[in-house]
Amino acid sequence: MSNVTYASINDDILHSMKPPGKSWFASMAIILVMLGMGIFAFGYQIRHGMEGSGINNPIGWGVYITNFVFWVGIGHAGTLISAVLYLVRAPFRTSIYRASEAMTVFAVMTAALFPLIHIGRVWNFYWLIPYPNQRLLWVNFKSPLLWDVFAVNTYMSVSILFFLVGLVPDFAVVRDESKGLKKLFYGIASLGFKGTNHEWKHYMRAYLLFAAIATPLVFSVHSIVSWDFAMSSIPGWHTTIFPPYFVAGAIFSGCAMVLTLLLPLRAIFPGFKDIIKIKDMEAMAKMILFTGFIVTYAYSIEFFIAWYSGARYERALFWFRPFGELKFFFFLMIFCNCISPLPLWSKKLRTNVPALFIVSIFINIGMWMERFNIVVTSLAHDFDPYAWGTYTFEWVEMWITIGSFGWFFMWFFIFVKIMPSLAAAELKEALNPPMRSAHE
Amino acid sequence: MRRVLTILAATMLVFPSLILAEGEFTQPIKFSHVTHAGANEIPCEFCHIYASRSIVSGIPPVRTCFGCHQVVRGTDEAQQKEIEKVLGYWERKEPIPWKKVHDVPDFVSFSHKRHIQIGFDCNQCHGDMAKVAEVSFDTMKQPLSMGWCVECHMTKHPTANGKIAGPVRKTRGAQPISNAAKVQPDGDISGSKDCFICHK
Amino acid sequence: MTKVNRRDFFKVAAVSGAAAAVAGCGSDPVEEIIPMLVPPTEYKPGVTISFASTCNECSANCGMVIRTREARAIKAEGNPHHPMSQGSLCNQGQASMQAMYSPSRSKGPNKKGAAIKWDEGLSELAAKMKEANRVLYIGRPQSGSLKKLLAETLAASGGGDALQFDMMPVSTLKKGNEIAFGTAEIPEYAIGEAKTLVTFGADILDSWLNNQLNMREFTRMHAYKHGEKGKFIHVSPHMSLTGANADQWVGVKPGDEALIALAVAGELLPSSAMSGNGALKSYLDGFTTDSVASKTGVSAQVIKGLAKDFNQGGMSLAMAGGNTAMSGEGTKLQVAVNLLNAVAGNLGKTVKFGADYKIGGDSAQSFADAAQKMKSGAYQVVLIEGANPVYALPKDSGFAEALAQVPLVVSLSTEEDETSALAHMHLPTSHSVEAWGDSMPRKGVYGLQQPAMAKLPGYDTMSLGDLMVALAGKLGAAAPADYKTYLMAQWKGYQKDLGLGGAFEDFWKKSLQQGGQFTGYSSKGANLQSGAYASAMAPKGGQTGLAIVAANSPNHRAEGTNGNRTWLLEIPHPITQLVWDSWVEISPDTAVRLGVNHFDEVEITTAKGSLKAGVWVNYGIADNVLSMPTGLGREVPFPTYVSTRNKSIFLPHVEMSSDIKIKPLKVGTNVMDLMGFDTDALSGDLQFVTAVSALKATGETAYMVTPEGQAHHHDAAALSKEYTKAYMGDRSQKGRGFAQSTSVEAMNGHGGHEGDGGHHLRHRHYTTDLPSNTDMYPERAADVAYHVDWSGRDKPVYYETNKWEMAVDLDRCTGCAACVVACYAENNVAVVGKERMSTGREMSWLRVARWQDHNEETGDLETYFSPNMCGQCANAGCETVCPVYATYHNDEGINAMVYNRCVGTRYCANNCIYKQRRFNWRTYEFPAPLHMQLNPAMTVREKGVMEKCNFCYSRIREGKDLAKDMGREVFDGEIKTACQQTCPADAISFGNIKDPKAKVTQIVNTTKRGYHQLEEVNFKPAVTYLKKINHDNKKA
């Protein structure tokens, strides 16, 4: 805390919000190209049907649903860190929760696109929404897909609110430091927050309240997403382990993504180095280690149950995963999720930025592969051998996937420039307020 | 003979629609239901012969028009002009390309016969055509939308077997609803709520 | 035009993403409504009208019924009155709809593409015929009045010859009968009455003679009834569909069949009535079981077993014929088999003469002679109708060259084909669905063929009969007004022949109604002539070394006339399950010996040429024998959808609607390129077996496509040597019991198995037994009814009057896939093409899965078929997961699929354990004029919509509608699903399970061998399967 002061925090944050430079625009350009590819591919898919994607008859869900689950998963760490760790008063949270919350919001915004992208007649998507209509038709509340619609929307709206509430005092800071239109804008955004004791009192209560509301959602949303699979009849999907397994996996991937985002952020804005301390990163690493083990356990128990249950189809599937023609994805998943985090046992690596970054990338890939394995291999090898199928990617789904990353990073880049990417107010809590010494 | 038929059948098939913006069309002939059904009180099924026999009511064959109009040549200038057109079609052995107004989508199988047989009156869905000068979307009485069908099937027809307070046929050829049992074996003349009754 | 039409069937103008979105929300374009000029009396829009007629797809001339809507033919079905097809129609017969609406139909009379008038065309032809001193007419076999008219016309032209083109080697059969019995007629083989049937090469269920009649009779004989079931043994180099239905398949070298037959005859002789015949005895002593066994490699024990089975006191039957028998020993084989029948005392009992079947055409030799005459300039005019000899005959027949020598070649074919391309003038005749005609397939059967619709609009054609009449007129013969009057004149005569009194009008009307006049015939036996056991008839046995057989299948015939029907190409071949391709079947051991693998591309070389094809390793073919399908290698007009095969997954492969053209597409290869023009010495029929000089792998992997999942999948089992040693992959059910079996002994309560416990086909190592109690949950219907009880809303009533269920008898099913064609025709199922099949985009609602499982007792591979369609499950997985109720359980037990409500989440398909749902990955084209075949009672589905079997609900709707009009309930058998209607084996029963008297109810309630697929998952499907019944747990 030595060289960090109220002033320096303000400076650092405001520095990060300076008008963007060349490098920012350069990367933004790339991002927009990616997004453009996605939009083009989606347009093509709407016009010509789903055949541009690799999904086929036994395998009705492929990359799209994989992406959906992947992004929803990413969306977990943020709320977990900001809400759950807030409730348990984990100190390392303060420096990172703002950025990770932003990540959550944008990840869920990305995820929410995929249910639309993957349906065959997206122009009829509104039939999925229950509203009184002239057809006198209602939606089928028995369908897990519908539960998804609600779960994801609830989660999205709450995390957005929580995000904005957290931002209020910091917007106030920015407002105070800026003038003109900018001042007006942040003035509105900060809801005229003045920082009086009275306001702080109520603000903290409100924040606590939102934290309390957000916490259960962290667990509910991914459990419900997992029911898309657990509620079906297909071997490899029809299993009770999914909810906890999915939540753990989500936190696992979320934390990894936090690292993937914050480490570069830390590098780009030198001032952040003192604030986002390496030991915070290390804490994330520990979280990864822990959830990584839950995930590994889940994998092994799936195989055990497949053998122990004696269910013919289950066994066939779990033989197919490691030995079938999609085994590459399986072993890639095992390597990324079970092997690659192990080095983090050593404190040396845990505190080594490049190492952390590489591991986090591996985990991101691995968790995507996990969802891919669940979605695709289960469908590829279910009950009727005559109807078994296999899967190859096609350009449309590739481009849409690329586009989804473009969409996500576009928002994050904008966020970094227009919002304080660190929680100034809460960081200051940890410091002794600047006082004029008595004898001066 | 057969050749003519199929050419027509085929044209029906190959040109089910010319893409036109909705409403922007004129009927090839200024046919007035007011004159026919109204003034001259020609019953609907005199021209729409299949209404009680088939799923479609049928548009009158050109011969039917000719049948009367070789004699009936119209009273005023305008009428004569239109009737000339009709005769023209007949001489050229050409069908009259009417524009379809009361149109249910092709993924729906609606049966006129069922509804007529249990004693519906044409007016109940098509409005009082006797007052319609020229048929266009503006003269449609009912939207023919799914909600409209379903609403009737669900509310106006209690599914309690057969005891129906349904609409009773008022005009020509009215049949007492009592023969419902004959129409439907179980005596249930309520509209089914099964989607598959209409969606094919 | 077709695209517009297709779209508007579904009312979504897919012009662009945005517009599609708008259109998706139901803005309809204004339709035109075109009235009739003068409606015919029988015309009723929206009502199906059927016409009884005769099928002309092959020379068997089965009776058929053509269903029409709005005066358009939409479906071909069998004619129940007709004594041969008896209500069923084969794959090719049903595909006559695609012949009628074939995109390759000729649009009108033309000279090398330059359109001409009918009159000038005919005048020119007539003139040329007059000045020609000899005219040759080559056409499809005609057994009816047309034959007479043709003769008259040719006579009027000053002399000509007429040849009937058909590749079925029946001349051999006739010759064989002439030698053995002194009569060259095709007798009736009463398969149905035989206790034991032994076929020597004759693929009776694929293509030999009338395969519909055969299948009917075969079912009568082979289906389990009253504790009995006939025995069927197939002796042939190639198992084919026929052998796959046999209880025993004896694989022999081509040409060895005759030896076996004689050995069996020798075994039977002592106990035979002819045992006194010394000459015969000494002849047969030349073929003792042991000598034949050593010669053919078929064990003596097998031959003795054959003899034992065959000794039925005259109630056994041996048949020979088919392509595989044409190895140069063809006639001798016929003679030998005739001799066998005689020795077994079958003559007059199961082999009945007097029927005089008219099937097949003239021998190939006669075409060779004709070609010679053409070369020598004997013919100045050659007319070719409905035949494609240039494609079908081997290249060195010199037929094409000969045609080039002829001054005027006129094609009268309906479609443009390889032969019409060589013609100077093409005068296209109408398809038989548009034309009058008749046929006499056998004595006592007068089939009448009437036009079910007017001529296809936009196609200026003339029916063959009318054309002949017109031609005769121009040639100055006394010709009637048109062919119809000519026909009626003939039928006046038939009325006399039949001895039927009454006014001709009534007779004619009745004939039209029932599709003709059908009576029996007086059958007689025959006596074996000494020529049958003259030394000249002694078979020498097949040549050694690698040989290739050109084999027919239910989907394709050597004539190749229906090699361009997309249904028949898209529907998997019953045995190999391959689509859109030719392939080489090869036995595992031979494959190992030649060092080729399953799915390798190989180059086959014979004396006559070489071609490339993919290897399909199969146990069902003798060692050292290859087999390729006939009738392929033709060009099919097909939409050019964008291809992503072997292309980068990161670069866009974009298709614009304007890119989609209908372009000819070559499918497979023509096996005849390998065949020499070698004919049978005695009969002159073409040989379909020839020696292979070399077969080597090209190193490529062949692009062979099959919907069969296991074909590419390897799991635990594939690793176990048991399946891999055969180098043919694993085509088993993995012990999942889709097709289960039991034995006659078990059914009759003894033989080691309890009543319904079939022998389990060999399981994988992870086999488990089914849980005893699958009824943990109530049926959903009951569940729902219970749960809405408390709500004020009125309770849904399930299965009040109807619950539609189906029973599929695997003991009857032969796997011919006629049901699949019927399904395509009835339900507007799209044809997607080879590439889309390869990426799992097939659309078929009904698949006949073919399993090759190891018998756990003998360890031998056995072939089983299970037709799988949507089970309309009572606890369906698809219903609960659909977020928009696009699929739901209707009150008649149908798992209803409302296409226009579907948003396409595909969750239902994922959750279907039977994988019976099909998703529209794009909007598929129906190349004009094929779109006119679409059934108006069914929606044509667009991209993004899920579809599946609904038990032909359009037919159920139609049936109920009719019943209502008559003020009665639907009675059993009134409503038939398309697959049931056409099944020649009556394997499928469908009806209302609430009706205790219904056939399906009877079966489901009384059977000892019923089961549901995947019963343990408790989906409660409405389709009950009846186990296959084998003789002591063995089958081919």
Side-chain angles (χ1 to χ4, degrees), chain C residues 603-627:
Chain C
E603 182 164 25
I604 307 163
T605 317
T606 66
K608 299 301 173 184
S610 76
L611 53 74
K612 290 197 178 75
V615 166
W616 201 82
V617 178
N618 183 18
Y619 77 97
I621 186 161
D623 287 343
N624 278 337
V625 180
L626 313 173
S627 146

Side-chain angles (χ1 to χ4, degrees), chain B residues 38-193:
Chain B
N40 300 315
E41 293 184 338
I42 303 171
C44 310
E45 287 179 52
F46 183 83
C47 300
H48 302 284
I49 45 178
Y50 303 113
S52 58
R53 296 191 277 140
S54 171
I55 57 175
V56 294
S57 63
I59 198 78
V62 183
R63 185 186 59 182
T64 311
C65 309
F66 178 70
C68 299
H69 284 297
Q70 58 185 333
V71 195
V72 184
R73 291 311 177 90
T75 52
D76 59 45
E77 184 61 31
Q79 282 185 355
Q80 282 152 2
K81 213 166 98 281
E82 293 304 315
I83 292 169
E84 276 314 311
K85 284 198 213 160
V86 181
L87 300 175
Y89 278 109
W90 174 254
E91 275 135 28
R92 293 198 302 281
K93 289 279 169 274
E94 252 180 46
I96 307 172
W98 299 106
K99 296 285 185 295
K100 198 169 187 182
V101 171
H102 294 88
D103 179 22
V104 291
D106 289 342
F107 48 77
V108 169
S109 80
F110 168 82
S111 173
H112 271 88
K113 142 173 105 177
R114 283 278 85 75
H115 292 81
I116 297 294
Q117 281 180 5
I118 65 164
F120 269 84
D121 182 33
C122 309
N123 294 0
Q124 285 168 319
C125 305
H126 292 285
D128 187 353
M129 295 306 282
K131 294 193 176 54
V132 177
E134 187 175 1
V135 184
S136 77
F137 288 116
D138 318 332
T139 66
M140 281 175 74
K141 183 193 178 197
Q142 302 293 0
L144 304 187
S145 66
M146 175 173 167
W148 175 69
C149 301
V150 175
E151 192 260 349
C152 197
H153 273 238
M154 295 196 27
T155 57
K156 293 222 184 75
H157 300 223
T159 40
N161 283 354
K163 317 300 165 288
I164 165 176
V168 179
R169 199 161 186 181
K170 286 179 255 24
T171 54
R172 176 197 57 80
Q175 292 165 346
I177 208 73
S178 62
N179 73 346
K182 218 173 117 288
V183 181
Q184 293 206 354
D186 54 4
D188 175 0
I189 51 176
S190 63
S192 167
K193 291 175 192 158

Side-chain angles (χ1 to χ4, degrees), chain C residues 569-811:
Chain C
L569 293 165
E570 180 108 336
I571 291 166
H573 176 271
I575 296 298
T576 63
Q577 298 285 313
L578 292 168
V579 297
W580 289 91
D581 213 345
S582 334
W583 57 87
V584 195
E585 255 181 85
I586 184 167
S587 78
D589 299 349
T590 313
V592 175
R593 193 168 55 71
L594 298 171
V596 295
N597 271 325
H598 197 46
F599 278 22
D600 279 0
E601 187 189 59
V602 294
E603 182 164 25
I604 307 163
T605 317
T606 66
K608 299 301 173 184
S610 76
L611 53 74
K612 290 197 178 75
V615 166
W616 201 82
V617 178
N618 183 18
Y619 77 97
I621 186 161
D623 287 343
N624 278 337
V625 180
L626 313 173
S627 146
M628 281 186 75
T630 56
L632 288 156
R634 298 204 52 207
E635 294 206 322
V636 184
F638 199 72
T640 57
Y641 301 131
V642 67
S643 165
T644 55
R645 181 163 174 262
N646 303 335
K647 297 209 184 123
S648 159
I649 60 169
F650 288 106
L651 301 177
H653 314 289
V654 181
E655 164 186 297
M656 289 301 136
S657 309
S658 56
D659 298 348
I660 304 173
K661 308 245 176 346
I662 309 301
K663 289 229 188 72
L665 173 80
K666 192 162 186 296
V667 178
T669 50
N670 183 2
V671 60
M672 280 307 172
D673 296 351
L674 292 177
M675 300 285 158
F677 193 78
D678 315 317
T679 53
D680 186 289
L682 292 157
S683 69
D685 267 332
L686 187 65
Q687 292 185 22
F688 286 95
V689 184
T690 187
V692 173
S693 52
L695 178 143
K696 56 179 185 302
T698 62
E700 306 284 311
T701 306
Y703 178 36
M704 298 162 87
V705 175
T706 168
E708 186 181 18
Q710 326 86 299
H712 303 288
H713 261 245
H714 299 297
D715 65 353
L719 299 176
S720 72
K721 276 275 158 278
E722 174 189 318
Y723 289 96
T724 47
K725 75 164 186 297
Y727 293 91
M728 51 181 277
D730 166 16
R731 301 164 198 156
S732 77
Q733 316 184 48
K734 318 278 184 283
R736 298 179 181 198
F738 284 91
Q740 298 178 15
S741 70
T742 179
S743 71
V744 180
E745 296 72 15
M747 289 303 291
N748 297 344
H750 45 81
H753 293 285
E754 75 285 4
D756 57 349
H759 87 281
H760 297 289
L761 302 161
R762 179 169 294 187
H763 290 163
R764 332 304 313 218
H765 63 286
Y766 47 71
T767 300
T768 55
D769 292 333
L770 306 186
S772 54
N773 165 26
T774 60
D775 278 11
M776 229 185 310
Y777 304 98
E779 212 169 85
R780 179 162 306 118
D783 199 36
V784 171
Y786 169 78
H787 280 292
V788 296
D789 217 4
W790 53 267
S791 70
R793 297 177 293 108
D794 47 358
K795 194 187 324 188
V797 186
Y798 283 93
Y799 320 144
E800 194 178 21
T801 47
N802 302 323
K803 183 181 192 302
W804 304 106
E805 288 210 1
M806 189 177 272
V808 180
D809 187 343
L810 298 187
D811 190 39

Side-chain angles (χ1 to χ4, degrees), chain C residues 195-369:
Chain C
K195 287 196 173 58
T196 302
L197 170 66
V198 181
T199 49
F200 294 87
D203 50 346
I204 55 170
L205 303 185
D206 297 73
S207 66
W208 180 238
L209 301 177
N210 182 335
N211 71 350
Q212 288 305 285
L213 180 59
N214 291 347
M215 248 185 247
R216 291 246 167 231
E217 292 289 302
F218 173 70
T219 325
R220 264 181 62 206
M221 165 248 175
H222 196 250
Y224 177 85
K225 202 190 292 156
H226 313 313
E228 284 190 352
K229 177 189 174 80
K231 196 155 190 180
F232 173 35
I233 300 152
H234 189 54
V235 183
S236 171
H238 181 223
M239 188 158 101
S240 77
L241 180 68
T242 309
N245 283 285
D247 300 295
Q248 186 187 355
W249 168 65
V250 182
V252 296
K253 285 203 308 297
D256 281 358
E257 299 96 335
L259 295 171
I260 309 273
L262 291 175
V264 173
E267 288 284 332
L268 291 179
L269 189 59
S271 59
S272 155
M274 303 174 80
S275 50
N277 186 328
L280 177 58
K281 184 164 188 336
S282 57
Y283 177 70
L284 288 178
D285 286 344
F287 305 94
T288 60
T289 304
D290 301 323
S291 65
V292 168
S294 60
K295 210 163 174 188
T296 61
V298 177
S299 77
Q301 168 203 6
V302 169
I303 296 173
K304 288 198 166 68
L306 260 171
K308 190 170 152 298
D309 289 327
F310 202 70
N311 194 357
Q312 298 285 358
M315 292 323 284
S316 57
L317 173 62
M319 289 174 75
N323 292 8
T324 50
M326 298 310 296
S327 58
E329 297 275 288
T331 314
K332 290 178 183 172
L333 172 60
Q334 290 292 355
V335 174
V337 166
N338 289 339
L339 188 150
L340 174 57
N341 276 326
V343 170
N346 299 338
L347 301 182
K349 289 184 174 151
T350 56
V351 184
K352 298 177 181 168
F353 285 84
D356 189 23
Y357 274 88
K358 292 275 180 300
I359 188 164
D362 295 310
S363 71
Q365 192 53 50
S366 49
F367 285 90
D369 305 344

Side-chain angles (χ1 to χ4, degrees), chain B residues 2 6 9-10 14 16-17 54 61-63 96 98-100 107 113-114 182 184 193-196 199-200, chain C residues 1 8-9 31-33 35-37 40 45 70 454 457 794 888 890 900 936 939 957 961 964-965 967-968:
Chain B
R2 276 190 170 283
T6 333
V14 182
S17 87
S54 171
V62 183
R63 185 186 59 182
I96 307 172
W98 299 106
K99 296 285 185 295
K100 198 169 187 182
F107 48 77
K113 142 173 105 177
R114 283 278 85 75
K182 218 173 117 288
Q184 293 206 354
K193 291 175 192 158
D194 183 6
C195 315
F196 239 28
H199 282 283
K200 61 186 187 187
Chain C
M1 191 51 69
D8 293 352
F9 262 97
E31 288 188 9
E32 288 221 320
I33 174 166
M36 287 279 179
L37 270 174
E70 279 81 9
D794 47 358
Y888 68 99
N890 89 342
N900 197 49
T939 311
R957 196 183 283 118
D961 193 53
K964 271 186 182 176
D965 288 352
R968 58 168 171 82

